[in-house]
Amino acid sequence: MSPGSGAAAMLTAAPLPDRPGARLSGDCDLDSRQVLASALGIVTRIPGPVVHLDLSAVVFLDAAAVAALVHASATFTAQGRRLLIHDPPYSLRKVVEMFPDECAALEVAA
């Protein structure tokens, strides 16, 4: 469930209209793990040296979702590319604070 709401918001993904990447919306938790994995699989196949992931409409990410983002980012790094995360929710920032070494692969736009 989303913090402060009565029901979980279904996770959706859409391409960004102005640059290579995608925008996620909703919650990233146990119920949406498969949707997140599919979305990140597609994102890793988007061509370009930098791919953008807009999380401004993501309400919540659990620790497993953060781990999936770290894995996707590591995939980009192994390809000599960058996954640039925009507007992460509080839950992602909190997990990064608690596990800075494990989350070092994440690159958040300033």
Side-chain angles (χ1 to χ4, degrees):
M1 280 209 232
S2 304
S5 74
M10 185 168 68
L11 181 65
T12 61
L16 292 173
D18 58 344
R19 57 191 164 187
R23 181 175 194 248
L24 300 182
S25 302
D27 288 336
C28 299
D29 56 20
L30 179 62
D31 294 333
S32 62
R33 198 157 289 153
Q34 286 299 102
V35 175
L36 178 62
S38 294
L40 291 176
I42 292 168
V43 167
T44 60
R45 292 191 301 274
I46 295 173
V50 178
V51 175
H52 302 268
L53 188 60
D54 180 352
L55 301 182
S56 62
V58 171
V59 178
F60 174 76
L61 288 118
D62 68 8
V66 175
L69 288 174
V70 169
H71 178 72
S73 185
T75 299
F76 274 85
T77 301
Q79 297 171 348
R81 303 184 317 136
R82 296 169 50 209
L83 177 63
L84 190 56
I85 297 171
H86 297 268
D87 299 316
Y90 175 79
S91 55
L92 180 118
R93 293 190 309 267
K94 202 63 182 156
V95 171
V96 170
E97 280 180 22
M98 292 188 300
F99 302 101
D101 293 337
E102 292 82 354
C103 296
L106 296 177
E107 184 178 356
V108 177

